[in-house]
Amino acid sequence: MSAEQEDPIRQRSGKYRTLSPCHSSNWQTDHKNGVVAKNIRQGQRWADSSDRRKGLDSPEGMRTESSDERPRRKSNAPLAIPYTTPASEFLYGHSVVTAALKFSRRRFYKLYLFDGDSAEVRGQDREVRKLALAANVEVTRVGNDWLRLMDKMSQGRPHNGYILEASHLPKLPVTGLQPVLKPQATFGVALNHQSREEAAVNGNSSTVKYGTGYRRYPFLLLLDGIRDPGNMGAIFRSAHFLGVDGILLCTRNSAALSPVTLKAAAGAAESLPILSVDQPRSFIDNCQQNGWKFYAAVSPSSSESEFSTGRPFYSTSTMGIPTQEHACVMMLGSEGEGLRWNMQKKADYLLGIEAQRAGSGELDSLNVSVAAALLCQAFLRKPVAAEKMRPQLQDKWIDLRERTGGGAAPAGVDMGGVGLAPAAMDRLGVAANEQRLF
């Protein structure tokens, strides 16, 4: 038998390589049965590849530095999601993680940062890492072997290389709102019962702070039946941008504040006071007894049948600035059906947005998040200085005095503002369809 027939490596490659005695004995044993052994040692595996045979010429019988292959780094990523506590959640995305660390309303456990190559990513990493260290949060830098696990943490949604493990966002349970006798920087709430664990997350303060750039009463949103997390997050984002003082969430029929909602809010939910309401109708009764006024957001078409109830309907162009007169709550309903009828009956005023192309097609309403932004802007617009508006105010007051029989301005009518609130317009005796802002 020739040497080429005896050596299986020579049969496969056409070239003869001298193996160590240990390897030679193993191959002879396997060749007797005509089968290559399954447990081939490392030196034999490198001999099987034609572009790696140069390693066999080295004294160690292994590959040299000229080899293009590098040993694979062992993955340090765990197989399962590493929860620090059973109740923790994972926030993802640069804006959400940055806002959570900046406002510090949660308990933080660990921050995962993916190593990026670009200068922009490194600059963002330094910013986020600085906030995390200031909040005493453990920072873990991860590589490509963590990408699959990070995708699990973000539920398959874009995380941009930033994932923060934290406790849930505080949602203070309330049964009512306390009276607000004058515009100030705080308002009180009546707390509902909560367990010790819930109190550790939500807190137990009965005072809510709000800041304004001008003198006004507080303005809150009550969300009832909004189930789409994208719409919920968009409402939070608009509320933060426009200056809403807090969000009231009906817990039984609204979307949860999940990481998906928080991602859609782009970090806005971290700065807004959030109050949870278990029984909205009794909550409205308690607040109305304390002087709060409730506005139900409805479509103009659906409000026509409600004029017989004695509650006026106002649009964004006729509503004035209610926050100059009293504390306000605007109620928003579900995406498809709108605000529930039993909630509309509790409202002091009906409120809507006039369509500029009425009857031109099937689109007779706006997305709830878009409508919320337009209505919030109408509530929170700043009064213009009296000096700038004096000519228009004088003309408007002359017109009102002629229609109402003359006399001094009724109590509560501020001629230095940009417009008149509904209550003041009612005292002037002006019809709802004649009340216009300047």
Side-chain angles (χ1 to χ4, degrees), residues 254-378:
S254 299
L257 288 181
S258 64
V260 179
T261 304
L262 301 175
K263 174 69 172 177
E270 303 295 331
S271 64
L272 287 171
I274 302 175
L275 310 175
S276 62
V277 179
D278 187 45
Q279 298 179 351
R281 284 182 292 176
S282 62
F283 170 82
I284 295 174
D285 292 335
N286 295 335
C287 295
Q288 288 174 330
Q289 294 175 3
N290 292 331
W292 288 73
K293 300 298 182 181
F294 280 75
Y295 293 76
V298 298
S299 63
S301 59
S302 64
S303 66
E304 296 176 356
S305 61
E306 276 80 51
F307 277 111
S308 59
T309 62
R311 294 170 300 164
F313 172 83
Y314 295 99
S315 67
T316 53
S317 61
T318 63
M319 60 180 289
I321 307 180
T323 53
Q324 295 293 304
E325 284 213 345
H326 46 245
C328 306
V329 177
M330 184 176 69
M331 300 184 291
L332 292 166
S334 63
E335 295 88 345
E337 300 176 357
L339 191 64
R340 291 181 293 170
W341 171 243
N342 57 1
M343 298 282 286
Q344 292 186 32
K345 291 192 299 183
K346 293 285 185 181
D348 299 293
Y349 302 98
L350 301 179
L351 185 65
I353 302 172
E354 294 179 344
Q356 301 301 315
R357 292 186 177 181
S360 60
E362 297 296 329
L363 292 177
D364 59 349
S365 63
L366 293 172
N367 178 274
V368 64
S369 62
V370 177
L374 295 175
L375 293 172
C376 287
Q377 195 276 336

Side-chain angles (χ1 to χ4, degrees), residues 44-357:
Q44 295 169 329
R45 290 202 302 270
W46 287 106
D48 289 343
S49 178
S50 59
D51 58 340
R52 297 173 181 167
R53 287 199 187 108
K54 292 184 180 180
L56 293 177
D57 297 332
S58 63
E60 294 80 9
M62 296 293 294
R63 56 180 177 169
T64 62
E65 294 182 357
S66 61
S67 175
D68 294 336
E69 284 290 329
R70 297 180 180 178
R72 290 186 179 180
R73 183 168 61 92
K74 184 178 180 181
S75 175
N76 296 321
L79 298 178
I81 297 177
Y83 285 95
T84 302
T85 65
S88 61
E89 66 178 358
F90 292 95
L91 309 178
Y92 52 88
H94 178 263
S95 58
V96 179
V97 171
T98 302
L101 293 172
K102 185 177 297 183
F103 291 100
S104 296
R105 297 174 58 198
R106 305 169 179 257
R107 291 184 179 181
F108 304 119
Y109 302 113
K110 188 175 292 187
L111 173 65
Y112 298 92
L113 293 178
F114 180 76
D115 283 331
D117 297 331
S118 65
E120 180 181 359
V121 171
R122 291 178 182 175
Q124 292 178 351
D125 289 353
R126 284 193 295 268
E127 176 189 358
V128 175
R129 187 172 181 272
K130 184 178 180 180
L131 292 173
L133 295 177
N136 198 23
V137 182
E138 179 183 352
V139 180
T140 301
R141 290 189 173 275
V142 299
N144 293 328
D145 50 348
W146 276 75
L147 282 179
R148 181 173 296 179
L149 188 61
M150 293 182 76
D151 289 340
K152 290 183 180 179
M153 293 178 181
S154 65
Q155 303 175 18
R157 296 177 179 269
H159 51 76
N160 310 120
Y162 302 93
I163 292 184
L164 176 64
E165 184 184 7
S167 64
H168 288 269
L169 196 63
K171 300 183 293 293
L172 195 65
V174 296
T175 59
L177 302 174
Q178 301 296 342
V180 181
L181 302 179
K182 61 180 181 179
Q184 52 191 5
T186 61
F187 62 91
V189 298
L191 296 178
N192 201 352
H193 172 75
Q194 56 181 341
S195 64
R196 182 181 301 177
E197 292 77 10
E198 291 172 338
V201 175
N202 303 324
N204 51 14
S205 176
S206 60
T207 302
V208 178
K209 297 181 180 180
Y210 72 97
T212 63
Y214 58 98
R215 186 178 181 271
R216 64 169 176 82
Y217 287 88
F219 171 68
L220 306 179
L221 287 182
L222 190 151
L223 307 182
D224 177 69
I226 298 179
R227 302 178 180 86
D228 183 78
N231 284 334
M232 180 77 76
I235 293 174
F236 271 85
R237 186 170 184 173
S238 299
H240 169 77
F241 181 82
L242 296 170
V244 176
D245 302 315
I247 303 292
L248 297 161
L249 281 181
C250 296
T251 56
R252 296 187 177 183
N253 60 348
S254 299
L257 288 181
S258 64
V260 179
T261 304
L262 301 175
K263 174 69 172 177
E270 303 295 331
S271 64
L272 287 171
I274 302 175
L275 310 175
S276 62
V277 179
D278 187 45
Q279 298 179 351
R281 284 182 292 176
S282 62
F283 170 82
I284 295 174
D285 292 335
N286 295 335
C287 295
Q288 288 174 330
Q289 294 175 3
N290 292 331
W292 288 73
K293 300 298 182 181
F294 280 75
Y295 293 76
V298 298
S299 63
S301 59
S302 64
S303 66
E304 296 176 356
S305 61
E306 276 80 51
F307 277 111
S308 59
T309 62
R311 294 170 300 164
F313 172 83
Y314 295 99
S315 67
T316 53
S317 61
T318 63
M319 60 180 289
I321 307 180
T323 53
Q324 295 293 304
E325 284 213 345
H326 46 245
C328 306
V329 177
M330 184 176 69
M331 300 184 291
L332 292 166
S334 63
E335 295 88 345
E337 300 176 357
L339 191 64
R340 291 181 293 170
W341 171 243
N342 57 1
M343 298 282 286
Q344 292 186 32
K345 291 192 299 183
K346 293 285 185 181
D348 299 293
Y349 302 98
L350 301 179
L351 185 65
I353 302 172
E354 294 179 344
Q356 301 301 315
R357 292 186 177 181

